[in-house]
Amino acid sequence: MEQFPTVLRVEDYKLEELLRCPDRFAGNKKGSKRESEVNWRQMVQFAASHSVNDFYGMPEGARTQAAIEASVEHWWTNRNYKFHSDEHYLQMKHTVKKQLTDFLLGGFCPGMPIIFFEQLTAYVDELDLEISQIFHLVSVDPEGGADDYIVQKLAVDVDEDSLGLLFHMTSVFCMSAFEKLPARIEVLSLLSGKRIVYVPDEESLERSYDYMYLIKSLLPEADFFKVNPGSAVQLIM
């Protein structure tokens, strides 16, 4: 039987976990995730992601505030013990409902995205590396040309490390997969309601390649990041 060469695949959610807690990650190399390791921020992200996916799966006339709130209720965790308190549990749910309503119905997000909540994979020749990334929203840039596009992510974690990973990884992925940088990369904070905008260009792209090369060099020596080309990927929100 023909042996396919092993390549490295970096997946955004694994790198986010590695940045968030490298010590815990070291004991979780095989990809198993015990319930005790899931925190409230991941649960909030999960509920919000599925709610946005529901929103864009509805007919436009059904996309209402009530529909958004019903989706959040449906996907919201019942593990309130993962939160700081019962008040925190309820406050986070209220906040996510409000921010999703503001973003989705307030003109921050597209009416008809090109891509919504798809996991895409691209091989980057310059890095000899496969990148797999979940794209929340990709849409035509209404202020640009016919082939200009915007990438948006609705996120709980908007710390400096998480934003740096998102901006650099997205730039490298898009250049390899689409042969064109996005006009903007936007992060919409699910907790604060802030919109964080990054405008990539040729100069920043070089820094993004350097960043991803550094990430590759620092990856743990584990099968967690090794795959054969063309192997299946699992959608994780």
Side-chain angles (χ1 to χ4, degrees):
M1 181 179 292
E2 183 180 358
Q3 281 291 107
F4 291 103
T6 299
V7 298
L8 285 178
R9 173 190 289 158
V10 294
E11 296 173 83
D12 51 358
Y13 76 95
K14 291 180 183 177
L15 290 182
E16 288 167 4
E17 184 181 352
L18 179 57
L19 288 175
R20 187 183 302 114
C21 189
D23 292 337
R24 188 185 73 190
F25 189 92
N28 193 31
K29 291 178 180 178
K30 293 183 179 180
S32 61
K33 185 167 287 192
R34 298 184 298 273
E35 178 176 329
S36 61
E37 296 175 328
V38 179
N39 60 51
W40 69 266
R41 303 177 79 87
Q42 292 167 303
M43 293 177 178
V44 170
Q45 182 72 62
F46 178 87
S49 297
H50 278 284
S51 298
V52 175
N53 199 33
D54 287 350
F55 179 84
Y56 282 105
M58 299 175 188
E60 288 195 41
R63 298 176 185 176
T64 63
Q65 179 177 347
I68 293 170
E69 293 180 352
S71 288
V72 174
E73 286 287 349
H74 174 75
W75 292 108
W76 200 256
T77 180
N78 61 2
R79 289 175 281 180
N80 58 335
Y81 59 88
K82 289 288 186 176
F83 292 73
H84 299 319
S85 65
D86 288 343
E87 291 76 13
H88 182 232
Y89 172 83
L90 294 173
Q91 180 59 44
M92 286 300 97
K93 181 161 62 171
H94 172 78
T95 297
V96 168
K97 288 179 180 179
K98 180 184 184 306
Q99 304 302 0
L100 285 181
T101 299
D102 290 347
F103 288 143
L104 294 172
L105 299 181
F108 293 93
C109 296
M112 186 59 66
I114 305 168
I115 296 170
F116 67 95
F117 283 91
E118 287 190 38
Q119 184 169 9
L120 305 178
T121 302
Y123 181 76
V124 183
D125 287 323
E126 293 88 344
L127 299 173
D128 188 23
L129 183 70
E130 201 171 83
I131 294 179
S132 180
Q133 188 170 354
I134 298 169
F135 283 83
H136 288 192
L137 296 171
V138 179
S139 59
V140 173
D141 180 5
E143 301 173 1
D147 60 348
D148 289 331
Y149 64 99
I150 301 168
V151 175
Q152 293 178 307
K153 179 173 182 176
L154 294 99
V156 173
D157 292 316
V158 292
D159 57 277
E160 185 176 348
D161 288 340
S162 297
L163 291 175
L165 172 63
L166 173 67
F167 294 148
H168 291 306
M169 191 175 191
T170 301
S171 294
V172 170
F173 184 100
C174 289
M175 196 64 195
S176 296
F178 309 140
E179 300 183 346
K180 182 180 176 64
L181 288 170
R184 296 191 305 279
I185 302 170
E186 299 182 356
V187 177
L188 307 176
S189 172
L190 290 166
L191 301 189
S192 71
K194 292 181 179 178
R195 174 173 165 263
I196 304 160
V197 180
Y198 181 75
V199 181
D201 55 26
E202 290 186 10
E203 184 177 345
S204 71
L205 180 61
E206 289 302 314
R207 295 194 298 273
S208 295
Y209 278 120
D210 290 342
Y211 178 96
M212 293 305 299
Y213 182 82
L214 178 62
I215 288 287
K216 177 185 176 182
S217 70
L218 295 176
L219 289 178
E221 289 294 327
D223 290 341
F224 198 34
F225 289 101
K226 295 176 183 176
V227 296
N228 288 325
S231 59
V233 294
Q234 180 182 4
L235 179 60
I236 299 176
M237 293 184 183

